[in-house]
Amino acid sequence: VGFYSGYLVADKVEVVTKSMQTPNAPQLRWTSQAGSSFTIEDDDSEPFATSGTRLILHLKDEATDYLDSSKIESLLNRYSEFIEFPISLYKETTEYKQVPDVEANKDLKEGETPKMKTVPETKQGYERVNFQKPIWLRSPKEVTEEEYQDFYKSAFRASYDEPMKYSHFVLEGQVECKAILYVPGMLPFELSKDMFDENARNIRLYVKRVFINDKFEDLMPRWLKFVRGVVDSDDLPLNVGREILQKSKVLSIINRRLVRKSLDMFREIMDDEDDSQYIMFWNNFGKYLKVGVVEDDRNRKDLLPLLRFFSSKSEDEYVSLDDYIENMKEGQKAIYYVTGDGKEKAAMSPAAEKVVGRGYEVLYMVEPLDEITIES
């Protein structure tokens, strides 16, 4: 990252520049072929009106794909969509317009509507490619609900999804960064077939608005794979790598804060007056929380109140562990549960019928994960 990265794709680099600080400054050309030497000379190419800089890369034979504007555009969209100054790409675009069909209108009679045809018109010119605004840089008080929703839909290509909850916060102390996290309204498509799909990279790390990576597994535990968001730091170097982050313990610090904020969002959904919100959340993402109970020792106690099960007394309603304990019979010393392939089969278990017959409530563990969760 930086000026000398140009030599990754070019065997010669030229910089044409004219200073804005000195009146009538000369226009100069710096040239180097990646060695230790360079030349500086007066430049007689197209002059700048006032001041400016032009960078020219003479690409290596194996790097000619960077001459394709669509290749450059895809890179800009991935890595530079939140850069605040405008970035424009010189490209060829084709538009279609309606023009009179001369051939078809040869025998046109007076008063008749002339026949039209569609013809392509190719244009070349600069077109701006970065329109996204990094709303996480603003104070949460200044960002509207609609802006949070629009950012989610455009940044995560989720035009048909309304996020259930979001959290916009600043991390200060050993590490300073700004972040926004979202709980999706529905299970992201890429997780519908594999709940831990490696291609589902929902947390993006930025440094000074430049996209760095979405593959840092240590940034978020896998049981929070469904949470989407951005983390942007001004402290980290742009060429940050996994080794640098792990040595500095930055990932661990960010990880703890992201988990805490995620749990806060889940609790807010749970405490919503509209019970259907948490039921929807649980139906979509409950299995991830169960994995969290199994795998995350640090946050297990915080996850337990979020768990939901069917029981012998709840019929089609979910019951929490707190609810179960509150409704326990006097003198009851244990939580009773039974496993089974579905609620009906679990209820027909002889063991369950025996315990229910004594007046105890029995939780139904009807998913493969449930038994491992309870053992944890």
Side-chain angles (χ1 to χ4, degrees):
V1 173
F3 173 74
Y4 286 100
S5 66
Y7 288 106
L8 294 170
V9 295
D11 48 25
K12 177 182 173 184
V13 176
E14 296 178 286
V15 181
V16 178
T17 188
K18 183 178 180 182
S19 172
M20 66 178 292
Q21 296 176 332
T22 310
N24 303 315
Q27 186 162 305
L28 302 173
R29 179 181 294 261
W30 176 98
T31 306
S32 180
Q33 294 185 319
S36 58
S37 63
F38 60 87
T39 61
I40 297 177
E41 58 190 338
D42 288 332
D43 175 71
D44 58 3
S45 65
E46 182 185 348
F48 295 109
T50 52
S51 62
T53 298
R54 186 181 304 126
L55 187 66
I56 304 160
L57 303 181
H58 297 262
L59 295 178
K60 299 173 182 177
D61 291 341
E62 65 269 24
T64 52
D65 55 334
Y66 291 103
L67 294 172
D68 182 355
S69 62
S70 62
K71 169 78 170 179
I72 299 296
E73 188 168 17
S74 70
L75 288 171
L76 289 171
N77 286 334
R78 180 167 173 77
Y79 292 97
S80 304
E81 64 177 333
F82 296 110
I83 297 295
E84 291 175 280
F85 54 79
I87 301 174
S88 297
L89 177 66
Y90 192 84
K91 58 189 289 192
E92 186 178 279
T93 55
T94 301
E95 296 177 355
Y96 294 88
K97 64 177 187 177
Q98 293 278 312
V99 297
D101 189 334
V102 176
E103 194 67 33
N105 291 326
K106 274 183 179 178
D107 303 321
L108 191 70
K109 294 178 182 178
E110 191 176 340
E112 287 184 342
T113 304
K115 295 177 180 175
M116 308 293 284
K117 66 177 180 179
T118 303
V119 295
E121 185 177 60
T122 302
K123 294 181 180 179
Q124 290 182 326
Y126 282 101
E127 189 175 295
R128 184 167 174 182
V129 292
N130 63 327
F131 292 98
Q132 280 276 30
K133 293 183 179 177
I135 64 171
W136 62 81
L137 296 182
R138 292 156 56 190
S139 164
K141 295 176 184 176
E142 298 172 1
V143 187
T144 66
E145 178 84 20
E146 187 179 0
E147 285 177 309
Y148 282 120
Q149 299 274 355
D150 290 345
F151 174 77
Y152 173 80
K153 291 180 179 182
S154 59
F156 297 100
R157 314 289 186 261
S159 52
Y160 298 106
D161 187 20
E162 297 274 345
M164 295 189 78
K165 188 68 70 175
Y166 58 80
S167 180
H168 182 182
F169 57 94
V170 177
L171 177 58
E172 296 175 325
Q174 290 174 279
V175 181
E176 293 195 5
C177 63
K178 296 179 174 69
I180 299 180
L181 296 179
Y182 289 95
V183 176
M186 62 178 73
L187 184 68
F189 174 75
E190 60 272 20
L191 297 176
S192 58
K193 293 181 180 176
D194 178 359
M195 67 183 287
F196 299 120
D197 187 346
E198 291 182 3
N199 295 317
R201 298 161 186 160
N202 289 328
I203 300 295
R204 302 177 186 174
L205 177 64
Y206 290 81
V207 174
K208 301 181 177 76
R209 269 65 68 206
V210 176
F211 173 72
I212 300 300
N213 210 322
D214 53 10
K215 298 178 187 175
F216 287 122
E217 293 90 352
D218 299 330
L219 205 55
M220 220 33 163
R222 72 174 193 148
W223 63 270
L224 285 171
K225 192 84 171 174
F226 64 94
V227 174
R228 288 170 159 164
V230 297
V231 179
D232 187 359
S233 171
D234 282 345
D235 293 340
L236 300 171
L238 279 171
N239 61 345
V240 65
R242 179 174 280 114
E243 296 78 15
I244 295 173
L245 284 175
Q246 286 175 334
K247 284 178 184 174
S248 66
K249 296 184 180 177
V250 168
L251 277 182
S252 173
I253 296 167
I254 296 176
N255 171 296
R256 276 185 228 171
R257 188 65 182 271
L258 296 184
V259 171
R260 198 156 70 240
K261 286 293 182 179
S262 298
L263 287 167
D264 287 344
M265 287 193 291
F266 304 161
R267 280 189 282 264
E268 285 176 21
I269 298 171
M270 181 178 69
D271 294 337
D272 194 297
E273 290 180 2
D274 183 359
D275 292 339
S276 67
Q277 289 294 304
Y278 194 73
I279 292 171
M280 189 190 308
F281 169 81
W282 179 257
N283 287 337
N284 283 328
F285 310 116
K287 58 186 176 182
Y288 288 94
L289 303 195
K290 292 174 185 176
V291 172
V293 171
V294 175
E295 297 182 347
D296 195 335
D297 295 342
R298 181 187 293 135
N299 294 294
R300 184 172 295 134
K301 284 186 178 178
D302 290 319
L303 282 165
L304 291 178
L306 298 168
L307 299 182
R308 294 293 183 271
F309 302 98
F310 290 116
S311 84
S312 56
K313 291 184 178 178
S314 69
E315 297 184 353
D316 292 329
E317 301 284 326
Y318 283 118
V319 62
S320 69
L321 293 176
D322 287 341
D323 291 336
Y324 182 96
I325 291 167
E326 190 177 325
N327 296 326
M328 281 169 61
K329 285 181 68 175
E330 191 174 339
Q332 184 177 340
K333 306 262 188 217
I335 293 175
Y336 296 102
Y337 69 92
V338 64
T339 59
D341 184 15
K343 190 170 59 168
E344 288 74 21
K345 288 187 179 178
M348 291 168 62
S349 158
E353 289 180 345
K354 188 175 181 181
V355 176
V356 170
R358 293 178 180 173
Y360 294 109
E361 185 174 14
V362 176
L363 296 178
Y364 297 146
M365 305 288 157
V366 296
E367 292 182 357
L369 261 175
D370 288 347
E371 197 165 1
I372 312 170
T373 304
I374 289 296
E375 286 172 3
S376 297

